[in-house]
Amino acid sequence: MKAIVVTDEAAGTAGMTLAERPEPEAAGNDVLVEVHASGFTPGELTWPGTWTDRLGRDRTPSIPGHEVAGVVTALGYGTRGLSVGQRVFGLAEWTRDGTLAEFVAVEARNLAPLPGDVDFAVGASLPISGLTARQGLFVHSRFEVGRAFSCMARPAESARW
């Protein structure tokens, strides 16, 4: 399969090249997705997971890209909830080869069905944006489910600001 690979962290996006790579296999709980649309942000090239696997071992050349929308072509052993031929979108894991390729193996839990009326490009543009919004609310703003939240100050409180 064709994929965009990176081999030199210092080269940035200038180090991205089109190469022939083996098609990934769907391991246990994985789904093999034929990529119809993919998302990439240049900042990925500075993330440790782009260059190493979960155990910290070098994995260059690696395929960047994490956002994906496409069609399921194979299911790994034990995979449930998705089916071959289904339209999906989601995120590829940081420490595995990414979505700038014709095919990508993704854990099924990181994918969701893509409705038929949603374009693949739109589907691939949602995951990182959604993750960023979630982090903004729950990590940085410390928003909690079940707790009242208001951006509007009451008049008596505004005088104390």
Side-chain angles (χ1 to χ4, degrees):
M1 75 170 180
K2 292 191 183 330
I4 294 175
V5 299
V6 292
T7 56
D8 180 6
E9 186 172 356
T13 56
M16 299 172 76
T17 59
L18 185 63
E20 193 67 35
R21 291 291 301 267
E23 188 175 306
E25 294 182 15
N29 298 312
D30 275 357
V31 171
L32 187 64
V33 177
E34 179 181 17
V35 177
H36 286 243
S38 175
F40 167 77
T41 176
E44 291 177 31
L45 300 181
T46 65
W47 300 346
T50 300
W51 307 102
T52 58
D53 65 14
R54 287 181 181 173
L55 300 175
R57 297 176 298 207
D58 180 63
R59 63 180 197 86
T60 55
S62 67
I63 301 170
H66 295 290
E67 297 174 295
V68 67
V71 175
V72 174
T73 60
L75 303 174
Y77 178 79
T79 302
R80 293 191 179 115
L82 297 171
S83 57
V84 172
Q86 186 173 13
R87 292 165 41 97
V88 294
F89 75 108
L91 281 173
E93 191 175 324
W94 296 172
T95 56
R96 295 173 69 174
D97 278 339
T99 61
L100 296 183
E102 293 179 295
F103 294 90
V104 63
V106 181
E107 286 186 65
R109 67 184 179 149
N110 293 334
L111 295 169
L114 181 66
D117 62 343
V118 176
D119 183 77
F120 286 113
V122 171
S125 71
L126 296 173
I128 292 286
S129 300
L131 180 60
T132 301
R134 183 187 185 287
Q135 287 172 331
L137 285 171
F138 294 100
V139 176
H140 301 292
S141 297
R142 297 183 185 96
F143 184 77
E144 296 176 19
V145 173
R147 186 173 137 216
F149 181 78
S150 173
C151 294
M152 301 294 294
R154 286 175 268 197
E157 291 177 19
S158 64
R160 289 183 255 152
W161 286 6

